[in-house]
Amino acid sequence: MIRISLLISLFIIRLCAYSDSDLDGVSDYLDRCPNTPMLALVNQHGCTVKKIKVKPVHHMNINAGIGYDKVNSDLDDEVYTLDINYNIGAFSANLYTVDYLHSSNIYSRDDLYLSGYYQMAITKDMALRLGTGIVLPLNNDKGNETDYFLSAQIIYQIDKLLLYAYYKYTFMHDLYSQDIDTKVIGAGYGFTKKFQGLLSYSNEKSIYAGYENIEYLTAYGKYYLNDHWFGALRLSKGLSDTANDLSTMFYIGYYF
């Protein structure tokens, strides 16, 4: 069940680690001129210089995390993650890897996630983000096989308020597992220029047939130390018997 918690938290991290509402290549945190036209050439502050057809602005960010999972009253674990995001225009790519120090669950150890996304504006306040990805096992445990997923996300942002709904379908090929779907709803708010918070609820089908769905309530906070460095903290509370009792993760990241 640890893997389920990781997939949920991974989505939340990606959502919060970078937000560019007007798709001009400058994050909302640094953008002094929001809602610039799609073909506008902007400076480092996101303000229009002149309108010409230009190559999309690209950037990337890297963050590393260390965390603790309280699986139940008798079992806990340490978690280490590395997350690399590359964005160019409306396209983004992600590489993510995770390592559990003590886990004996073959479905949640040393996996490598590779995914790609395309975000399109529906209105000036709403966007649709479509994604696909692959989960590669990095260990030799029998039964841990390559999995695939498709995702769709609706994002609505007005001023400091962010609302979103997310759906993902995973084609599982691991031993004794079944295909799963994940549903998440959440809300975020920019309390200050440097601090953002998010609260979400997730419901996911168990990879094991006959088990109840896995439910979590997650709180996430992110603080920008400056234009490049940021830190984040995530807390997840299991709401169902199939979920981990408690999961925590601290991240430190750098924006290029």
Side-chain angles (χ1 to χ4, degrees), residues 19-229:
S19 178
D20 181 12
S21 302
D22 54 6
L23 303 179
D24 62 357
V26 179
S27 70
D28 290 341
Y29 166 61
L30 301 174
D31 201 335
R32 298 180 184 175
C33 302
N35 302 320
T36 51
M38 288 290 290
L39 298 181
L41 176 63
V42 299
N43 58 22
Q44 68 271 27
H45 303 300
C47 297
T48 303
V49 178
K50 58 182 178 178
K51 295 181 180 179
I52 58 174
K53 291 185 177 181
V54 295
K55 293 182 179 179
V57 177
H58 64 90
H59 68 88
M60 69 181 298
N61 65 73
I62 299 176
N63 66 80
I66 180 172
Y68 166 83
D69 278 353
K70 187 67 176 176
V71 180
N72 52 49
S73 59
D74 300 319
L75 179 64
D76 55 42
D77 206 349
E78 295 177 31
V79 189
Y80 301 90
T81 67
L82 178 66
D83 191 12
I84 302 175
N85 297 280
Y86 178 78
N87 298 59
I88 179 167
F91 295 92
S92 62
N94 176 266
L95 181 150
Y96 181 85
T97 185
V98 58
D99 178 44
Y100 288 89
L101 188 61
H102 303 297
S103 177
S104 60
N105 187 339
I106 63 173
Y107 303 141
S108 57
R109 293 170 50 196
D110 307 327
D111 282 337
L112 174 66
Y113 299 78
L114 300 173
S115 53
Y117 301 88
Y118 177 74
Q119 182 166 309
M120 64 187 77
I122 300 176
T123 68
K124 68 181 181 121
D125 299 321
M126 185 178 295
L128 173 64
R129 192 169 187 245
L130 302 175
T132 184
I134 183 172
V135 184
L136 301 171
L138 299 183
N139 59 62
N140 296 321
D141 290 324
K142 184 178 180 180
N144 191 11
E145 304 295 339
T146 300
D147 305 319
Y148 307 88
F149 64 86
L150 299 172
S151 67
Q153 174 186 340
I154 291 288
I155 306 167
Y156 178 79
Q157 184 167 7
I158 180 169
D159 297 327
K160 298 180 179 181
L161 178 64
L162 171 73
L163 302 174
Y164 70 90
Y166 171 78
Y167 179 83
K168 180 175 69 175
Y169 191 91
T170 304
F171 302 90
M172 301 288 295
H173 295 91
D174 297 334
L175 188 65
Y176 306 126
S177 66
Q178 62 179 349
D179 292 351
I180 60 175
D181 63 346
T182 307
K183 299 173 283 291
V184 183
I185 56 173
Y189 191 79
F191 294 95
T192 68
K193 192 72 174 177
K194 290 187 175 183
F195 178 72
Q196 300 172 350
L198 184 145
L199 186 67
S200 68
Y201 165 79
S202 62
N203 185 301
E204 183 165 68
K205 185 179 180 181
S206 173
I207 64 174
Y208 303 109
Y211 284 74
E212 67 175 324
N213 286 6
I214 302 165
E215 298 177 85
Y216 280 97
L217 182 65
T218 298
Y220 178 92
K222 180 180 179 183
Y223 184 81
Y224 292 92
L225 304 174
N226 52 44
D227 289 351
H228 296 285
W229 289 99

